[in-house]
Amino acid sequence: MTGTEAPALLSPVPDEDGAPFWEYAAQGELRVQACAECGELRFPPRPCCPHCQSFDSEWRRMSGRGRIWSYVLPHPPLLPAYAEQAPYNAVVVELSEAPHIRLVGNVVSAPDARLDSVDPAKLRIGAPVKVAFTRGPDGTHLPRWLLERP
Ligand SMILES: [Zn+2]
């Protein structure tokens, strides 16, 4: 590892249902699976609509804006690469278009910044955030969150 390189963090392991989420992320798009029959958005991705039981789905582009619904500040014991950046935040973001859709992630100061790049004192429940994507060491593009008013 070089001096400025971020330590290796865990990467997602996409499954068949979730693969499109990561493919759109690689294009810088936050998309959520929607039922092609009734239009209901659902997350995490899965084969069948829980509202109308349709197996037809599409991927709808989101604005990438949301609000912090909840957050925690993990402290050791943590995996080594995470312990090196602790304390950092882990947030649950509710999407503006669909508050019942909530994604787990991290609020950072810039797309490629360290997990501890935002002072935890700046985090508030309800704070507006917007998505940004960074390319991980394995090539996966990860959604992260930036404060709208840092
Ligand atoms: Zn449906």
Side-chain angles (χ1 to χ4, degrees):
M1 184 185 305
T2 60
T4 57
E5 188 176 321
L9 303 176
L10 294 177
S11 294
V13 181
D15 60 11
E16 186 179 338
D17 294 322
F21 178 88
W22 301 106
E23 291 161 10
Y24 287 117
Q27 300 168 38
E29 295 182 3
L30 182 68
R31 290 198 182 230
V32 171
Q33 189 183 36
C35 175
E37 287 291 326
C38 75
E40 188 75 20
L41 293 166
R42 60 180 189 257
F43 190 90
R46 51 194 178 274
C48 180
C49 175
H51 298 274
C52 76
Q53 286 73 52
S54 170
F55 282 85
D56 293 329
S57 66
E58 60 193 20
W59 287 80
R60 203 166 299 160
R61 188 169 185 178
M62 301 286 107
S63 67
R65 296 184 186 277
R67 292 183 179 278
I68 297 175
W69 184 77
S70 186
Y71 69 95
V72 295
L73 304 175
H75 288 265
L78 299 164
L79 292 172
Y82 289 85
E84 196 266 322
Q85 297 186 52
Y88 56 87
N89 66 76
V91 298
V92 179
V93 171
E94 62 177 18
L95 299 183
S96 296
E97 296 94 337
H100 69 290
I101 303 287
R102 299 182 184 129
L103 285 78
V104 176
N106 306 104
V107 172
V108 289
S109 63
D112 298 325
R114 286 169 49 96
L115 292 178
D116 61 357
S117 59
V118 169
D119 181 350
K122 292 185 174 181
L123 299 176
R124 295 284 183 275
I125 302 293
V129 292
K130 59 186 173 190
V131 76
F133 294 89
T134 188
R135 189 172 187 275
D138 69 342
T140 306
H141 289 71
L142 301 170
R144 307 180 98 193
W145 299 96
L146 309 176
L147 291 170
E148 292 262 30
R149 296 188 290 270

